Amino acid sequence: MNNFELYNPTKIIFGKGEIQKIKNEIPKDAKVLMLFGGGSIKKNGIYEQVKDALGEYDWMEFGGIPPNPEYEVLLKALEVIKKENITYLLAVGGGSVIDGTKFLSSASLYKGDEPWDILAKKIKTDKGMPFGTVLTLPATGSEMNSGAVVTRKETQEKYGMGGPGLFPQFSILDPSVVSSIPERQIANGLADSFTHVLEQYMTYPVDAKLQDRFAESILSSILETAPLIMEDTSDYKSAANFMWNCTMALNGLIQKGVPNDWAIHAIGHELTAFYGIDHARTLAILTKSHYTYNLKSKQAKLAQCAERVFGITEGDEQEKAEQCIEAIEEFFLSLGIGTSLSSYTKEYEGTAQKIAERFTERGWTGIGEHGKLTPNDVEQIVEMSY
Ligand code: NZQ
Ligand code: ZN
């Protein structure tokens, strides 16, 4: 097992009817800015619950943060924060609203001239404005981690950011919110959380028995929950499992002491930046190609996953690994998610070269768990995904 440090200060408040507990968590003298997305919370009753909980506070709202939170929109929220002397942020939404809020938490205390530098120059955030979240869409795990991803449409760029100052102080996870989520987003949440586990697991063995079992149990639980929640989003039991699976898949726990990959995410963000493809779907496009291209270096873990998660017992190690890749692909397809780039855009020719060029320009010349995948490798993986 590799050395590690584990730090996660986010308080989770989980369960039905818990949104009202916002009032126990935000200091009474705070000036609060509540942030939300395109308005789903106004149709499903979440807005009313948050409004009631904020009753006695001095608070304002900022809506309209789009999926793949857009830098230009966030700058408008930043103006409000500065002008109104806001001291506490409350994100009410999915990964996009929470990530946008993390950017604002960082940018509102940032001393430099150009907040975009936080993203483009990967400036780590040690201290941000305090914030909490009410999760409305299980998927990203952003509610219990310190990372965020922000998009700039103007330049077709999508960058990650983070730091120990960007953990939410609290996150309220009420699985009842799942009932209003459209099928497309449920499928996205399942595929995204599944891939989060894969990126922290599908590397090479370091005899980290507990981490492996944690990861495999989350994968199994996602597979078990998927058909149930796809069938009926108002089934509270499945919604609760779906939500907690997603949070546990990316709250830092399973990545400790083991190698991490994250190549699928790094390449996937480019597909969103160029074509606006939903984050989770970019992952489904790339997973098979990435694992097939890197079969040799990932074979032992792929075979272990085949046995322990998919119950595959036939064949030697390589055959089991190949069957595992097929089983993952089938899982994405079972969610109605297309797994090739051409199912999303007709303009795919040249994508691989464009992405490889960007990686070279940025100096991302060695990605993956071994730090050895070059822009040329990335180009081939993307081409295999057309
Ligand atoms: O904007 P509204 O109207 O609220 O509608 C949203 C949005 O259109 C809707 N929605 C959310 N909750 C709902 C609901 N509709 C009905 N009922 C509800 N209860 O769902 C749509 C998508 O929301 P979004 O927040 O964009 O989805 P998701 O949670 O998948 O977030 C995706 C973003 O998170 C980033 C992605 O790159 C992408 O930008 N990620 C963040 C990570 C992190 N911070 O750790 C890790 C991930 O790998 C990912 O990169
Ligand atoms: Zn993801």
Side-chain angles (χ1 to χ4, degrees):
M1 200 184 301
N2 301 338
N3 293 4
F4 66 89
E5 292 182 13
L6 174 61
Y7 169 74
N8 193 318
T10 301
K11 176 174 177 179
I12 295 293
I13 302 172
F14 189 99
K16 200 180 280 185
E18 298 292 61
I19 292 177
Q20 39 101 9
K21 288 198 176 154
I22 291 171
K23 57 182 178 294
N24 302 344
E25 303 303 322
I26 302 181
K28 288 287 175 279
D29 59 356
K31 175 128 191 225
V32 183
L33 183 64
M34 191 255 264
L35 298 124
F36 59 98
S40 68
I41 64 165
K42 295 209 166 161
K43 292 181 207 136
N44 56 20
I46 299 173
Y47 179 84
E48 287 304 317
Q49 292 181 58
V50 172
K51 195 175 150 205
D52 288 350
L54 286 175
E56 289 167 19
Y57 287 90
D58 181 3
W59 70 281
M60 301 176 64
E61 64 183 53
F62 183 94
I65 298 176
N68 305 313
E70 165 58 30
Y71 182 67
E72 297 299 329
V73 176
L74 296 173
L75 286 186
K76 292 195 183 116
L78 187 59
E79 264 176 43
V80 175
I81 290 168
K82 294 200 164 154
K83 189 162 155 253
E84 302 290 340
N85 297 315
I86 297 294
T87 63
Y88 203 102
L89 306 174
L90 178 64
V92 184
S96 295
V97 172
I98 299 176
D99 283 9
T101 301
K102 287 178 177 173
F103 168 77
L104 293 168
S105 160
S106 174
S108 54
L109 304 189
Y110 180 62
K111 297 275 182 285
D113 302 329
E114 178 53 71
W116 183 247
D117 288 347
I118 302 170
L119 293 141
K121 296 188 181 161
K122 290 209 170 296
I123 298 172
K124 183 161 80 83
T125 306
D126 290 316
K127 190 174 185 312
M129 181 175 285
F131 69 98
T133 88
V134 174
L135 181 68
T136 68
L137 175 58
T140 63
S142 189
E143 65 280 5
M144 199 179 173
N145 69 40
S146 60
V149 194
V150 172
T151 297
R152 196 171 188 175
K153 264 203 200 123
E154 187 195 0
T155 51
Q156 292 191 316
E157 285 170 294
K158 185 172 184 187
Y159 284 126
M161 58 176 285
L166 289 182
F167 283 99
Q169 286 192 336
F170 69 91
S171 282
I172 300 190
L173 276 55
D174 179 346
S176 319
V177 303
V178 171
S179 64
S180 66
I181 301 174
E183 187 178 283
R184 164 174 161 183
Q185 301 298 343
I186 299 275
N188 284 353
L190 291 163
D192 192 22
S193 56
F194 198 82
T195 315
H196 291 159
V197 181
L198 294 179
E199 297 259 51
Q200 302 162 90
Y201 170 92
M202 210 60 89
T203 56
Y204 55 91
V206 291
D207 202 29
K209 293 190 170 34
L210 184 59
Q211 288 92 324
D212 279 4
R213 297 283 185 187
F214 275 151
E216 289 152 3
S217 65
I218 300 171
L219 293 174
S220 300
S221 181
I222 296 170
L223 292 174
E224 201 176 331
T225 309
L228 303 172
I229 198 66
M230 288 291 284
E231 173 71 29
D232 180 9
T233 57
S234 64
D235 170 16
Y236 182 83
K237 285 186 205 159
S238 304
N241 285 306
F242 172 42
M243 193 171 245
W244 191 228
N245 287 341
C246 292
T247 302
M248 288 302 292
L250 193 51
N251 65 0
L253 182 67
I254 65 170
Q255 65 184 222
K256 299 301 170 189
V258 295
N260 280 236
D261 183 348
W262 296 109
I264 300 172
H265 273 71
I267 307 171
H269 290 332
E270 300 305 318
L271 296 181
T272 303
F274 283 128
Y275 305 112
I277 302 170
D278 290 356
H279 168 66
R281 288 164 199 253
T282 68
L283 311 175
I285 292 169
L286 294 159
T287 301
K288 183 176 179 180
S289 315
H290 179 55
Y291 290 169
T292 305
Y293 187 82
N294 294 292
L295 184 67
K296 281 280 166 291
S297 63
K298 291 179 180 291
Q299 186 165 301
K301 291 300 283 286
L302 279 162
Q304 180 175 311
C305 179
E307 285 172 19
R308 294 188 184 176
V309 177
F310 292 107
I312 294 165
T313 51
E314 301 291 313
D316 59 18
E317 190 181 80
Q318 184 180 332
E319 284 160 355
K320 283 182 185 155
E322 286 165 352
Q323 290 179 74
C324 184
I325 297 172
E326 287 307 320
I328 294 169
E329 178 92 342
E330 274 167 35
F331 172 58
F332 293 140
L333 292 170
S334 77
L335 302 172
I337 292 184
T339 54
S340 58
L341 184 56
S342 52
S343 13
Y344 300 88
T345 173
K346 300 260 175 295
E347 312 287 315
Y348 57 84
E349 288 300 343
T351 306
Q353 290 81 348
K354 279 200 288 188
I355 294 178
E357 272 164 30
R358 279 192 160 184
F359 276 42
T360 306
E361 277 163 24
R362 293 177 195 152
W364 297 1
T365 49
I367 64 166
E369 67 270 25
H370 296 287
K372 284 190 176 156
L373 288 182
T374 64
N376 180 46
D377 296 316
V378 168
E379 186 172 331
Q380 295 189 55
I381 291 165
V382 178
E383 257 176 17
M384 286 164 68
S385 309
Y386 286 177

